[in-house]
Amino acid sequence: MADHPVDEKLPALKMATTGLQHVAAMYAGVVAPPLIVGAAIGLSAGELTFLTGACLFTAGLATFLQTLGIWKIGARLPFVNGVTFAGVAPMTAIVAATDDPSDALPVIFGAVIVAGLLGFLAAPVFCKAIRFFPPVVTGTVITLIGISLLPVAFGWAQGASATAADYGSATNLGLAGITLLIVLLLRRFTRGFVKQIAVLLGLVAGTVIAVPFGATDFAPVADAALVGFPTPFHFGAPQFQIAAIVSMCVVMIVSMTESTADMLALGEIVDRPADEKTIAAGLRADTLGSALSPVFNGFMCSAFAQNIGLVAMTRIRSRFVVAAGGGFLVLMGLCPVAASLIAVVPRPVLGGAGVVLFGSVAASGIQTLVRAGLDKDNNVLVVAVSLAVGIVPIAAPEFYHAFPENAKIILDSGISTGCLAAVLLNLVFNHIGRGREDQDVTHPMEAAEDIAGPGRAAATR
């Protein structure tokens, strides 16, 4: 029997290029949290580079755990793991609450270690939530993942910094548009391998085109060292403070919720539905990766939804391709010069490619919803309200401004709130009082016996 596409081992060159494409898709998401937190602490340029490299290194290790797996750890799906952005706000809050800035990172690392270990122990219980994720729920969540990521692409398209003079300029938007056009043309008019690495080729072409406009900065390559290892506990031994631990445990719950949704989404895309056992193994990889990450000066790790879009678009479903991407991440963490090559890609170019990647995730969610039975009023209500709840943080970012900071960690994640809303509404409308005859009536003027089905129609006679 032939291997499932998820377990397929591709030729070396194809494995390397497609793996590098995954790295290109998620690089900005990995380096953004350490840059933000490091800037809040006031780290020097050298220390900031070290912290960023450490996060790349630990993202690679976490990706190995997830894709290759050991024992009952790892979903063994084409799943990229990296620094979760959900932890940025609470980590900067920890920095602000720490009297000595030099203690901020040890406090953060201690909290992440505890949260990761507790999450690892809770994984077998948390995974049982799979029965609450039928297609009407998973389709809604997958759609929200794509919609929630699109603003990231739009932000990249405008430029690297909102305070920059050229932010949102015609040049930046033009570069994003050209990159998007190149990717679309490659997808439309090429075949085979070239078509599958269209995003990577688009990023390369966009970067080259950006050179005459002065949008490509090669300084990171010139300033980077050739070799560097993330020395364990470089910033000091971990410190354990209750408030910081509670804060990061909340982030871990959010992260596990999103990872569960991501695994269900990816399982649908690669035609290997994620069952309870797979989700438990995947959550163990997430949480163990998070617990180990601070040892090498990294932050909490979680699944990267943007790479799900890459799998959906390229249809390359091999987990070994993503493992190759994890290898590149490890090498980048050990070789700052290699990491800096990806940093050369201008943000507008990343934004143009991101539109395709993240839009593909939303499209996959819509495909799942088509199979969810939207001819039923109950399911329409579940989807409608859940999408609305999930889009609130995008459409009205300050909507929850009056809530406590810990509550905002959850409320400001449209994926988490939308997922919770979908699960609860599905329980209320499709499980509680399930025997009611009017549940399947779609139109008020339609006779119940016309849609009840043979078994139910016979019963009514």
Side-chain angles (χ1 to χ4, degrees):
M1 182 183 293
D3 288 338
H4 189 283
V6 168
D7 300 315
E8 183 182 4
K9 295 181 179 178
L10 305 181
L13 178 60
K14 190 173 184 179
M15 190 92 74
T17 51
T18 49
L20 187 60
Q21 187 170 236
H22 275 284
V23 174
M26 54 90 75
Y27 177 84
V30 173
V31 302
L35 290 175
I36 295 170
V37 175
I41 295 173
L43 295 180
S44 65
E47 295 286 24
L48 200 56
T49 300
F50 181 92
L51 184 63
T52 302
C55 287
L56 289 168
F57 179 77
T58 54
L61 295 182
T63 299
F64 282 153
L65 274 178
Q66 196 65 267
T67 54
L68 303 179
I70 53 172
W71 185 57
K72 296 181 179 181
I73 300 169
R76 292 170 175 82
L77 290 171
F79 221 29
V80 176
N81 272 43
V83 181
T84 175
F85 211 87
V88 172
M91 285 192 293
T92 53
I94 291 171
V95 172
T98 305
D99 295 332
D100 185 353
S102 63
D103 289 335
L105 282 175
V107 170
I108 290 172
F109 292 152
V112 172
I113 289 172
V114 174
L117 292 175
L118 291 177
F120 184 86
L121 295 175
V125 177
F126 201 91
C127 73
K128 296 184 183 300
I130 186 174
R131 64 181 182 274
F132 301 121
F133 290 84
V136 68
V137 174
T138 57
T140 301
V141 175
I142 298 167
T143 303
L144 277 173
I145 290 172
I147 293 173
S148 297
L149 288 170
L150 280 171
V152 176
F154 300 151
W156 289 345
Q158 294 179 81
S161 172
T163 59
D166 64 345
Y167 188 75
S169 67
T171 299
N172 286 350
L173 297 181
L175 288 172
I178 290 171
T179 304
L180 173 59
L181 180 62
I182 291 171
V183 173
L184 293 176
L185 290 175
L186 289 171
R187 290 289 299 177
R188 174 64 181 84
F189 295 108
T190 62
R191 295 181 179 181
F193 181 56
V194 173
K195 183 175 183 177
Q196 291 173 333
I197 62 168
V199 172
L200 180 60
L201 295 176
L203 290 172
V204 172
T207 301
V208 172
I209 293 171
V211 172
F213 295 94
T216 305
D217 182 12
F218 292 98
V221 178
D223 298 337
L226 182 61
V227 179
F229 183 78
T231 312
F233 299 124
H234 174 81
F235 295 97
Q239 299 180 25
F240 303 97
Q241 295 185 5
I242 295 298
I245 290 171
V246 171
S247 178
M248 296 313 294
C249 282
V250 173
V251 176
M252 179 57 73
I253 293 172
V254 173
S255 175
M256 292 173 73
T257 301
E258 293 187 359
S259 288
T260 299
D262 288 344
M263 277 184 269
L264 291 166
L266 186 59
E268 291 288 333
I269 290 170
V270 302
D271 296 323
R272 180 180 278 182
D275 56 15
E276 188 175 304
K277 180 180 177 182
T278 301
I279 291 174
L283 291 177
R284 288 191 187 100
D286 264 9
T287 53
L288 181 60
S290 294
L292 292 176
S293 184
V295 175
F296 298 101
N297 312 285
F299 297 140
M300 187 178 292
C301 294
S302 182
F304 264 52
Q306 52 262 56
N307 292 82
I308 297 175
L310 191 57
V311 173
M313 192 186 73
T314 64
R315 300 304 296 170
I316 297 177
R317 295 176 279 180
S318 170
R319 60 191 173 100
F320 296 104
V321 164
V322 175
F328 281 116
L329 289 169
V330 170
L331 288 176
M332 287 178 177
L334 297 175
C335 180
V337 169
S340 66
L341 290 175
I342 297 292
V344 168
V345 179
R347 288 292 176 84
V349 173
L350 281 173
V355 170
V356 179
L357 294 176
F358 306 156
S360 296
V361 177
S364 297
I366 294 170
Q367 288 176 334
T368 303
L369 285 175
V370 169
R371 304 195 303 270
L374 293 186
D375 56 326
K376 299 180 180 179
D377 277 349
N378 287 353
N379 285 345
V380 171
L381 285 172
V382 171
V383 174
V385 176
S386 300
L387 284 177
V389 170
I391 292 173
V392 166
I394 303 169
E398 299 300 319
F399 191 80
Y400 300 112
H401 74 277
F403 284 73
E405 288 299 319
N406 284 340
K408 286 165 65 177
I409 295 172
I410 298 175
L411 296 174
D412 283 341
S413 170
I415 299 171
S416 297
T417 55
C419 179
L420 291 173
V423 169
L424 292 175
L425 289 171
N426 180 61
L427 285 174
V428 171
F429 283 95
N430 290 329
H431 291 272
I432 298 175
R434 191 173 181 175
R436 290 170 51 194
E437 292 291 329
D438 61 347
Q439 276 197 319
D440 292 331
V441 178
T442 304
H443 304 290
M445 299 304 293
E446 184 176 2
E449 60 267 21
D450 291 337
I451 64 171
R456 190 175 295 174
T460 58
R461 288 194 300 269

